[in-house]
Amino acid sequence: MLSRPLKFVLISTPIGSLGSGKGGGVELTLVSIIKGLLEIGHEVLLVAPEGSCLPSDCEAAEVIKIPGMEQLSWQHQNLDSPISIPIDGVLPKLLETALTAGKNYDAILNLSYDWLPLWVTPYVEAKLFHLISMGCVSRVMGDVVKKLSKSHHYRMAFHTFSQASDYELVKDPIVLGNGFDLKKYSFQSSTTGPLGWAGRVAKEKGLEDAAKVAALLGDELHVWGVIEDENYASEIESLVPNGTIKWRGFLKTEEFQKQLGCCRAFVNTPKWNEAYGNVVIEAMACGVPVISYDRGGPGELVKSGLTGWLVPPDDIGRLKEAVLKTEKIDRQNCRDWAMQKASYKSFAKRICSWIVEEIDA
Ligand code: UDP
């Protein structure tokens, strides 16, 4: 294992401030990494958009907050969209700050999923690493990852094999999973609650399928997360009987897990190659079985028959049947699986091993 404490600069997502929910799963991933690195004994400097907040258990990290216009997320663009950076964009400023500070650090770990940090990697002295947080939804991003794989393959890591398979890589991908502070999630044993769904309310997350299943079963579907697209949210509501969807808002983890844990099943319906699927592990950590499409990260995280059920993507009939089999899943298995596979500390250790191997090479 590690023989010396290291100094890391972390670059946050340029999509929104940390804590806003706009950055999706990356926000929680970043907090887990910071907490894990600090506990292992490393030093952390976080460079993040203005307004970002870290939880109190990450207080030992230094934070530089940068003003500027947020980046448009790639999942809201088209396959052929060009690279665009707004005037006074926060992304180049995050990168500039990290690269300048990075001269006195061992490595920079970038969590902003965008073209510029990837493209610049071969041309800077700093050891710039990337935890890629999305599958490929644009040609220009696919190209820059392919190019970097040719010259600096080991500077990139992915959350799951399914996610990595979206990219043309010259060698096998480094796959690190993800990690959570599972002490913050309480196990709940009751099997009589409503159905749950969580995530950004945006087309690629497929909330409409979960809502249709709830409607077919005459159930309520409790929904947590940032509503990114109000029109889309109203469209989904109009597809199902009044009262099927209970909007619960975007909550802080403490309250989110309390409500989530009451669910009898968590329904996960990604329409894209979900990179990981934080909410899948968060549900399991509370003891909630996950009924999911066998697509992207959730297809690797749900052990069908043990922690939930996987069904063929977009098959609402099979999704409904699987929800009806929820009681066959022992809720304790869900909690146990999350504890064994997704702790923040082991995730931080995997990150360190990856980076140390490369900087010592
Ligand atoms: N989340 C939250 N509060 C809520 C609902 C969701 O903090 O009320 C967080 C959740 O913890 C997760 C993120 O939203 O980290 C969603 O991430 P996921 O990986 O599931 O999907 P993404 O948004 O990255 O596509």
Side-chain angles (χ1 to χ4, degrees):
M1 230 341 263
L2 212 51
S3 53
R4 64 186 194 280
L6 294 174
K7 292 171 73 175
F8 289 96
V9 180
L10 266 59
I11 306 180
S12 186
T13 171
I15 305 298
S17 59
L18 208 52
S20 68
K22 284 182 173 178
V26 178
E27 295 188 25
L28 192 62
T29 302
L30 193 57
V31 169
S32 293
I33 296 174
I34 294 173
K35 195 169 145 65
L37 291 177
L38 291 171
E39 274 182 34
I40 304 171
H42 301 300
E43 205 177 300
V44 174
L45 166 67
L46 172 69
V47 185
E50 197 171 49
S52 292
C53 299
L54 277 178
S56 56
D57 47 11
C58 293
E59 255 167 16
E62 192 189 333
V63 186
I64 302 180
K65 297 183 190 177
I66 310 283
M69 287 290 289
E70 293 165 356
Q71 267 314 99
L72 183 59
S73 167
W74 282 99
Q75 72 258 30
H76 297 146
Q77 303 184 49
N78 302 319
L79 195 60
D80 290 314
S81 293
I83 303 144
S84 69
I85 297 175
I87 292 171
D88 191 37
V90 74
L91 174 65
K93 293 201 260 178
L94 292 173
L95 191 59
E96 266 166 33
T97 309
L99 288 172
T100 307
K103 290 185 182 131
N104 303 315
Y105 283 70
D106 295 293
I108 302 175
L109 175 58
N110 167 47
L111 276 90
S112 73
Y113 180 83
D114 219 310
W115 183 87
L116 184 61
L118 290 161
W119 181 84
V120 85
T121 304
Y123 309 111
V124 294
E125 226 173 277
K127 303 268 187 184
L128 185 49
F129 292 81
H130 307 272
L131 183 56
I132 306 288
S133 60
M134 274 178 48
C136 188
V137 292
S138 97
R139 283 193 218 278
V140 77
M141 285 301 289
D143 279 355
V144 75
V145 169
K146 180 175 161 188
K147 180 169 174 263
L148 194 58
S149 172
K150 283 183 185 157
S151 67
H152 292 70
H153 179 79
Y154 294 110
R155 294 291 186 86
M156 291 181 289
F158 300 82
H159 288 292
T160 59
F161 288 97
S162 315
Q163 172 206 6
S165 71
D166 263 4
Y167 296 96
E168 262 183 73
L169 305 170
V170 297
K171 293 180 193 142
D172 288 343
I174 295 170
V175 172
L176 300 178
N178 210 338
F180 302 81
D181 186 355
L182 297 162
K183 288 189 302 297
K184 293 187 173 164
Y185 300 78
S186 307
F187 176 76
Q188 296 193 41
S189 58
S190 169
T191 55
T192 56
L195 301 178
W197 187 99
R200 291 172 295 103
V201 178
K203 289 202 170 92
E204 67 273 13
K205 305 297 254 181
L207 171 60
E208 63 275 24
D209 289 12
K212 283 179 196 162
V213 166
L216 287 169
L217 295 170
D219 247 306
E220 277 181 3
L221 180 70
H222 290 223
V223 174
W224 295 269
V226 168
I227 298 184
E228 281 190 345
D229 184 340
E230 289 284 351
N231 292 335
Y232 167 66
S234 325
E235 257 172 51
I236 299 173
E237 259 197 314
S238 69
L239 296 174
V240 293
N242 261 346
T244 303
I245 299 181
K246 300 279 176 215
W247 302 104
R248 309 299 297 265
F250 178 75
L251 308 177
K252 292 213 179 304
T253 301
E254 193 185 350
E255 185 54 32
F256 175 47
Q257 64 83 31
K258 215 185 271 174
Q259 298 189 12
L260 185 62
C262 297
C263 293
R264 100 174 169 278
F266 184 80
V267 188
N268 191 245
T269 46
K271 294 284 171 184
W272 67 339
N273 186 8
E274 185 82 52
Y276 188 81
N278 285 3
V279 290
V280 166
I281 298 293
E282 294 177 278
M284 286 189 206
C286 301
V288 182
V290 179
I291 319 298
S292 177
Y293 287 150
D294 186 2
R295 174 180 272 151
E300 289 176 38
L301 302 175
V302 177
K303 300 298 146 197
S304 207
L306 181 74
T307 60
W309 299 105
L310 288 174
V311 304
D314 310 320
D315 191 334
I316 290 177
R318 296 284 293 276
L319 197 61
K320 183 189 126 193
E321 280 168 28
V323 169
L324 289 170
K325 291 195 298 182
T326 302
E327 79 284 351
K328 292 193 195 303
I329 305 296
D330 181 345
R331 290 174 74 96
Q332 190 61 50
N333 288 343
C334 303
R335 170 83 183 166
D336 292 348
W337 198 90
M339 297 288 279
Q340 281 159 20
K341 305 284 184 186
S343 90
Y344 72 93
K345 220 162 172 179
S346 47
F347 179 47
K349 283 181 185 163
R350 292 194 292 277
I351 288 190
C352 284
S353 306
W354 158 47
I355 290 179
V356 166
E357 202 165 310
E358 183 61 9
I359 54 184
D360 284 352

